[in-house]
Amino acid sequence: PGADIWTSRTVSGPLYLMQGQTCKRSTDFGVTFTTVGTAPVAANRAILVGSEAGAPALYAALRVGSNYTLYRSSDAGASWASRAAISDFYGTLHASITNSNVVHWGGVEAHRSTDGGVSFGIVNAWWQYYDDPLHKLHADIFGMDSHIYAGNEVMFYDTDGGTYISNNTGATVTNISLQNLGISQYYGIQTSPTNPWLVAAGAQD
């Protein structure tokens, strides 16, 4: 079954592996793994993220057939509880570094939960971008990342129409691609086998 891995973004910690419904942990950089827990469904695809604010708190989008469901573990993968059915999903899953209850998934719109995945709302409707491109996400959320900067969590949304930044885990967003930052959505890159300076890229914008 499809598998995914996650490790802490703030400390040198264990490597977690979600393989189907089985969560495993490695303390030797992936040389060996031990099983720590099992989710209650036989998944054929797993997408795994974690929040360093937990033990860690882990989230897994598990696919059964063609449908995804979000599961949460509050005890570093030992036990798992179903949280929400996932739709409008591009395979983009994200958990906050500083708040273990904040989790997102991305599709046409960014879906955000502040209660550990029990309930979700959208950051904004995709069509709201056109009236307020500075403060509303463009459609198609293909990437979400968080980093600690100057002691605070900074979150980035990567969309079909630019990159956004948030200093409050997605409560509000600001488009940083309106000026001086060339952006494109890349679908394929090819490098020359004979000339390392020659790169061809296929982009939407």
Side-chain angles (χ1 to χ4, degrees):
D4 199 10
I5 58 175
W6 179 83
T7 193
S8 172
R9 295 160 288 189
T10 58
V11 299
S12 177
L15 178 66
Y16 290 88
L17 167 68
M18 197 74 182
Q19 188 172 28
Q21 68 189 107
T22 303
C23 183
K24 300 180 180 182
R25 187 177 74 166
S26 173
T27 57
D28 55 11
F29 304 101
V31 177
T32 61
F33 284 88
T34 57
T35 297
V36 294
T38 304
V41 293
N44 54 22
R45 175 77 194 281
I47 299 171
L48 179 67
V49 299
S51 171
E52 293 82 351
L58 300 176
Y59 292 92
L62 301 182
R63 187 179 69 190
V64 177
S66 58
N67 298 315
Y68 280 95
T69 301
L70 182 70
Y71 289 81
R72 174 184 163 125
S73 172
S74 301
D75 51 14
S79 60
W80 293 85
S82 175
R83 282 295 185 255
I86 299 177
S87 59
D88 177 31
F89 188 45
Y90 288 172
T92 306
L93 190 63
H94 174 272
S96 164
I97 292 176
T98 58
N99 186 337
S100 64
N101 287 318
V102 175
V103 59
H104 293 74
W105 84 71
V108 174
E109 295 163 334
H111 301 253
R112 179 175 181 262
S113 172
T114 59
D115 57 10
V118 175
S119 61
F120 281 85
I122 57 172
V123 174
N124 61 261
W126 67 267
W127 47 264
Q128 291 180 297
Y129 163 84
Y130 296 96
D131 290 328
D132 189 5
L134 180 61
H135 299 114
K136 301 298 181 182
L137 295 175
H138 192 282
D140 298 337
I141 315 300
F142 288 107
M144 292 180 282
D145 306 279
S146 281
H147 304 275
I148 297 296
Y149 177 73
N152 299 309
E153 179 173 3
V154 179
M155 183 176 175
F156 295 90
Y157 294 84
D158 307 312
T159 81
D160 184 32
T163 296
Y164 293 73
I165 192 170
S166 176
N167 294 310
N168 50 24
T169 67
T172 58
V173 299
T174 302
N175 191 340
I176 60 173
S177 301
L178 295 180
Q179 293 181 343
N180 303 322
L181 179 63
I183 57 103
S184 293
Q185 183 176 346
Y186 289 95
Y187 291 92
I189 296 176
Q190 179 66 47
T191 57
S192 169
T194 58
N195 182 356
W197 300 105
L198 180 59
V199 180
Q204 178 170 312
D205 303 308

